[in-house]
Amino acid sequence: MSLILRKVWVITRKFWVIALMVLIISMILIIRNVHPFLAVNAPIKADILVVEGWLPDYAIESAIAEFKKGEYRQLITTGVPLSKGYYLAEYKNYAELTAATCIALGFDKDKVVAVPAASVVKHRTAASAIALRDWLAASAIKVESINLYSFGTHARRSWIVFKQVLNPEIKVGIIAAEPQDYNPQEWWKSSEGFRTVIGEIIAYIYARFVDWKT
């Protein structure tokens, strides 16, 4: 009678220790790098600065500072109708509200244009990008490239959508305003930072691999 020897792979304790260490290191790297990945900054040489209208006032101030230091000819604000105070507000959408805010902050009214988007339940970023595309197509302004001014971890998702909508006619760069309500370097230490980043991770994955209009 002959013996048949077979190799049997056994997961040892050493393997589990190594696997756990790899998992911990990977999680640390993800936690440390996910915020700068989502809050991407990749500006290009552009004539137009496009500002998403839902940004907080301090981010609008930083957008004006970006305009002044850059070589921009025009600042365009985008945005959907207001979700709160619509019937009482002088300005009915974020695009007009942000344009008026820029003027109130001393910005040249001849250099700012509001391009409001249609009222939508979802796909708000896509609606803003489409409204901008249609406005640029109908205007006499010849635009080859823009820089999109967004906010924090929403920036990469906005960048994806605007590039898809404006591609290939118009190149799109991205600038992310830094949030002030939590520390971007230690976002996991505050509830606001944790909710914001985790939510944007899920939204980015959905926009990137399922539906960019989200």
Side-chain angles (χ1 to χ4, degrees), residues 50 52 78-80 115 117 123-136 148 158 160-166 212:
V50 177
E52 293 196 273
T78 66
V80 297
V115 179
H123 306 332
R124 288 171 294 182
T125 301
S128 293
I130 291 168
L132 175 65
R133 181 195 63 193
D134 294 345
W135 184 88
L136 290 173
L148 177 64
S158 290
I160 290 173
V161 174
F162 273 79
K163 283 195 298 182
Q164 288 283 353
V165 171
L166 299 178
W212 63 263

Side-chain angles (χ1 to χ4, degrees), residues 140-187:
I141 302 175
K142 181 176 175 58
V143 179
E144 295 182 354
S145 59
I146 67 166
N147 274 326
L148 177 64
Y149 204 90
S150 188
F151 186 72
T153 53
H154 192 276
R156 185 169 289 276
R157 188 153 54 101
S158 290
W159 194 27
I160 290 173
V161 174
F162 273 79
K163 283 195 298 182
Q164 288 283 353
V165 171
L166 299 178
N167 185 61
E169 290 81 8
I170 299 174
K171 296 179 180 178
V172 182
I174 184 68
I175 302 171
E178 188 167 296
Q180 294 183 1
D181 45 1
Y182 66 89
N183 182 356
Q185 282 71 47
E186 297 180 331
W187 57 266

